Amino acid sequence: MDLFSTFDMMTLVSAFGSIFLGLLVGMFFGSMPGLGLTLAITLLLPLTYTMEPLNAILMLLAAYQSAEYAGSISAIALGIPGTVMAAPIVIDGRAMASQTSPGKALGYSLYASTFGGIVGGLTLLFFAEPLARLAMNLGDAEYFLLALLGLVAVTAFATREPLKIGISICLGMIAGTIGLDVFSGVPRLTFDVPELYEGLSLIALVVGLFAFSEVFFMMAGNMRNKYEFSTNDMKIRLTMQEMANGFKAALAGSVIGTVLGILPGVGSTIAGWLSYSAAKQISSTPEKFGNGSGEGIAAPDAANNAVVGGALLPFLTLGIPGTAGIAIIAGAFIIHGIQPGPLLITEQPELINGIFAGFLITSVGMFMMGKLLSRGFAHALVTPNSILVPGVVILSIIGIYTSNTSFFDLWLALGIGIFAFLLRKLDYSVAGFILAFVLAPIIETSFRRAMLLSNGDAMVFIDRPVSLVIICLMASMLLFSIYKTISNKRSSTGAKVANSNS
Amino acid sequence: MQTKYLDTVMYLVLIAIGAITIQQTTSLPEAMAPDVGPAYLPVSLAWITIGLCSIGLVQTFIRNNREMIRFPGLPKIIATTFILVVFFTLWEWIGYFYVLSTVLLAGLLIFYSNDGVLTRKLIAACVAGSFVFNVLLYLFFTYVLYTKF
């Protein structure tokens, strides 16, 4: 594939500019505990209205990639992960930062993140076309089951209560059905409000779910409190020997991250922890894990960034977003009227080649920006919430309004923000909600089309081998979820008994 | 407040959402077979939601969890929501977004800084910061993105 043959100079310059902006915003938001990658993508999404589709997508992907890495900056500097995915990095990152040097720990993190990003990008490059060809043979029934698989995976692999995840998903799907029915043109759940005829605004929804609700969480405690830490010896540098030491772990993390990224609904939280334990198992020095092991930083960091490329694969080739981040990026595709799926690969090679090339450049750009600015972003960690919160509020308001110039969307986002705050307080999943919201039209359209084409015969969902494989996968995920719930209950009962005995 | 009370209220609210969904969609015109129709998915999801929430309600009563749920910063949350409601209303009625947003940003910066010692210097810094930030926003949105408020 000749990636650069279709681009002119202006396209390249504007694409580089978009990547730079995405990297900068992603790195800032990713490094700040509480803000994170979802908020970075959420606040950038409204900007994409006025951008070329390629630039818009690259900017969001750059933000996604760099926020995945930047989550490690606060994990290493403060011991507080900037993103949920950076949680495994705290164990060895913090230990190495205090025992050896924070710069060394950041070095392992940055080199592994870049490696993971490149592996994810190469996977995308080499497997997108074959997968798209395979996807051409899939029918509506298989698409329906694949989208459903993503939602089942969210429930099965979640760390929260499965019941509440299930409710979050149902609510997200109900929200996704608001608007005109695509088959009959009948308005559904619109309450005669004209602004709802085209469905809930994705931007108002994500800003409400992620930005406003997060802002309410950030108001706890003294908002002028600052984090304090030493910024000595933060220069990122690794010797060849250290790079070689971390290579095996980074490779394992990249493979695990890519594979789990491809599976819809699994995401990088699990990838990070799984790759950490896998790296420990294959390490020649497993005793160092937990005490500042470079491999313990490299594996989850590589996995986190490899997940991005992996998650893009089913999204671009099948149109199925697998993570909340990709679901928000799907918004940029919707805004520009681009339908992800096998036809996109064959009919819009310029856009697809641009995404692939840009994705690889993003990884390299992230490395350079990380090398130059990680120390600066570490300094930004001292920014108190009293400054961050008003900034996020203003940017959220501007983002919602610019997307549709609608005051209705502002009120909607505020209402959703308050509701989402309460849902999050009670341990419901807003990530599951948004994923279900984006998947709802795919699920409904493919289900109804499959039923129409089969003359109402429900056997259409099980009579092909691919369908059977997907159903088996779903069944095993559900069994795993039940097993996990039972074993969690047993261990908590055991702990209660032990506590009462002592 | 005990978590179980808020849990119960939330389950009841979600059951109500499910019931409203069913009530709103059952009146939709029926589709010609073999199409399942526009009401099929929302109604099915609403029934699943009601079912799951009912299970949750039963679980809440059986567990009788006495864990407390706290809302640190609740006064600030309520005040911010009120400030935003006023801001949206004024913006919708009188316009002048950048003027209002400068006031909003300065107000929020001062309000949140009130958690520590609030000096005149700090207030001046908040106002100046808000002004500069909004000028930058104006330049970026007007001359780079060609978006007017």
Side-chain angles (χ1 to χ4, degrees):
Chain A
M1 203 184 296
D2 190 3
L3 286 178
F4 292 97
S5 63
T6 43
F7 306 129
D8 58 36
M9 201 57 200
M10 275 314 289
T11 313
L12 285 175
V13 170
S14 58
F16 275 113
S18 309
I19 290 173
F20 178 78
L21 181 64
L23 286 173
L24 202 67
V25 173
M27 216 168 264
F28 177 75
F29 277 78
S31 64
M32 305 300 289
L35 296 185
L37 76 90
T38 319
L39 199 54
I41 306 170
T42 300
L43 292 181
L44 280 176
L45 183 61
L47 288 186
T48 61
Y49 268 93
T50 50
M51 297 171 84
E52 289 292 317
L54 176 63
N55 296 344
I57 294 159
L58 289 182
M59 181 178 71
L60 297 179
L61 286 176
Y64 195 164
Q65 279 264 50
S66 61
E68 284 279 15
Y69 155 68
S72 314
I73 297 177
S74 60
I76 289 164
L78 301 172
I80 303 166
T83 57
V84 188
M85 293 69 82
I89 295 144
V90 174
I91 307 169
D92 285 287
R94 193 70 205 119
M96 185 181 276
S98 49
Q99 288 163 19
T100 317
S101 94
K104 211 48 105 188
L106 282 172
Y108 275 107
S109 170
L110 181 62
Y111 280 78
S113 292
T114 309
F115 184 75
I118 290 172
V119 170
L122 291 175
T123 309
L124 203 57
L125 193 63
F126 290 115
F127 290 96
E129 265 192 28
L131 193 63
R133 273 200 298 273
L134 191 76
M136 293 277 203
N137 299 319
L138 296 181
D140 285 303
E142 284 96 343
Y143 269 102
F144 165 74
L145 291 170
L146 270 172
L148 211 58
L149 176 74
L151 298 180
V152 172
V154 170
T155 318
F157 295 109
T159 46
R160 295 189 176 93
E161 212 179 315
L163 183 83
K164 287 187 173 173
I165 309 261
I167 296 170
S168 311
I169 286 171
C170 286
L171 285 176
M173 284 190 70
I174 290 174
T177 62
I178 293 174
L180 296 177
D181 172 41
V182 273
F183 282 75
S184 60
V186 175
R188 271 188 313 197
L189 298 168
T190 54
F191 303 92
D192 292 328
V193 177
E195 284 90 345
L196 289 177
Y197 279 22
E198 285 187 25
L200 288 176
S201 152
L202 180 72
I203 290 178
L205 193 69
V206 289
V207 170
L209 284 176
F210 295 102
F212 281 151
S213 73
E214 190 58 52
V215 152
F216 294 145
F217 274 98
M218 288 164 80
M219 288 177 196
N222 188 330
M223 291 175 73
R224 274 177 72 180
N225 277 352
K226 292 178 188 173
Y227 293 114
E228 283 179 9
F229 65 98
S230 164
T231 52
N232 292 336
D233 196 14
M234 288 198 91
K235 190 162 186 185
I236 294 177
R237 197 182 308 162
L238 283 188
T239 62
M240 288 302 282
Q241 181 61 44
E242 285 163 338
M243 272 190 253
N245 286 347
F247 177 74
K248 202 163 62 170
L251 186 64
S254 301
V255 173
I256 291 170
T258 307
V259 173
L260 291 185
I262 293 170
L263 282 178
V266 180
S268 44
T269 315
I270 295 161
W273 286 110
L274 255 182
S275 58
Y276 183 82
S277 34
K280 193 175 177 180
Q281 277 173 0
I282 59 169
S283 171
S284 52
T285 52
E287 70 284 353
K288 281 191 182 171
F289 276 70
N291 300 309
S293 161
E295 291 171 289
I297 303 168
D301 247 319
N304 287 346
N305 279 74
V307 160
V308 185
L312 269 178
L313 195 59
F315 175 61
L316 291 177
T317 55
L318 303 167
I320 294 170
T323 65
I326 295 289
I328 300 170
I329 292 175
F333 283 75
I334 296 166
I335 286 167
H336 291 282
I338 302 165
Q339 178 65 50
L343 289 177
L344 179 72
I345 308 273
T346 51
E347 288 176 1
Q348 296 199 44
E350 195 173 318
L351 179 70
I352 283 295
N353 287 348
I355 293 174
F356 291 167
F359 190 82
L360 288 169
I361 293 166
T362 294
S363 301
V364 179
M366 180 188 74
F367 178 78
M368 294 198 292
M369 194 175 274
K371 263 286 221 193
L372 293 171
L373 299 180
S374 285
R375 197 174 173 176
F377 284 112
H379 281 288
L381 288 172
V382 298
T383 314
N385 283 350
S386 61
I387 293 174
L388 288 177
V389 168
V392 173
V393 168
I394 290 287
L395 292 176
S396 302
I397 291 170
I398 290 176
I400 299 163
Y401 188 75
T402 48
S403 65
N404 265 345
T405 53
S406 157
F407 283 100
F408 176 81
D409 286 352
L410 288 170
W411 293 108
L412 182 72
L414 184 61
I416 290 170
I418 296 166
F419 190 56
F421 171 71
L422 289 171
L423 288 176
R424 287 176 64 183
K425 265 287 189 195
L426 292 170
D427 219 18
Y428 290 85
S429 164
V430 285
F433 183 100
I434 196 70
L435 203 56
F437 176 81
V438 174
L439 285 174
I442 301 170
I443 288 177
E444 182 175 30
T445 311
S446 49
F447 175 77
R448 285 171 70 179
R449 222 165 23 207
M451 290 296 277
L452 274 171
L453 293 173
S454 65
N455 260 327
D457 181 9
M459 290 301 283
V460 70
F461 295 105
I462 50 169
D463 65 0
R464 289 189 21 157
V466 179
S467 305
L468 282 175
V469 170
I470 302 168
I471 288 170
C472 288
L473 264 174
M474 277 198 274
S476 48
M477 281 177 183
L478 285 173
L479 284 174
F480 169 75
S481 175
I482 292 166
Y483 165 76
K484 198 177 67 176
T485 311
I486 293 169
S487 62
N488 280 352
K489 268 191 184 155
R490 274 190 190 154
S491 57
S492 68
T493 316
K496 272 183 194 167
V497 171
N499 279 344
S500 61
N501 286 344
S502 63
Chain B
M1 188 191 214
Q2 284 188 14
T3 310
K4 65 176 179 182
Y5 295 129
L6 195 58
D7 254 333
T8 307
V9 172
M10 186 56 85
Y11 283 132
L12 292 173
V13 169
L14 297 177
I15 287 173
I17 290 175
I20 292 168
T21 305
I22 293 167
Q23 185 264 328
Q24 285 283 316
T25 44
T26 40
S27 57
L28 293 176
E30 283 200 14
M32 299 277 282
D35 183 19
V36 290
Y40 185 81
L41 186 69
V43 168
S44 311
L45 289 166
W47 279 117
I48 297 171
T49 307
I50 291 171
L52 292 176
C53 288
S54 307
I55 296 170
L57 268 177
V58 174
Q59 274 183 354
T60 309
F61 284 116
I62 292 171
R63 279 182 196 159
N64 198 19
N65 188 354
R66 290 184 187 280
E67 201 179 296
M68 300 295 281
I69 190 163
R70 295 185 197 288
F71 291 91
L74 187 63
K76 272 180 269 183
I77 294 170
I78 294 169
T80 305
T81 307
F82 177 73
I83 290 167
L84 287 179
V85 167
V86 172
F87 174 78
F88 291 166
T89 311
L90 284 177
W91 183 16
E92 205 170 348
W93 280 0
I94 61 170
Y96 298 108
F97 170 75
Y98 288 108
V99 176
L100 287 174
S101 79
T102 306
V103 175
L104 173 74
L105 186 58
L108 288 179
L109 284 168
I110 294 166
F111 176 55
Y112 299 140
S113 300
N114 202 22
D115 276 348
V117 181
L118 202 57
T119 58
R120 277 187 188 171
K121 205 174 155 185
L122 187 65
I123 293 172
C126 291
V127 174
S130 169
F131 180 75
V132 172
F133 187 70
N134 274 283
V135 167
L136 291 174
L137 283 179
Y138 171 75
L139 294 174
F140 181 70
F141 279 95
T142 311
Y143 297 107
V144 180
L145 297 183
Y146 305 108
T147 306
K148 292 206 168 170
F149 291 91

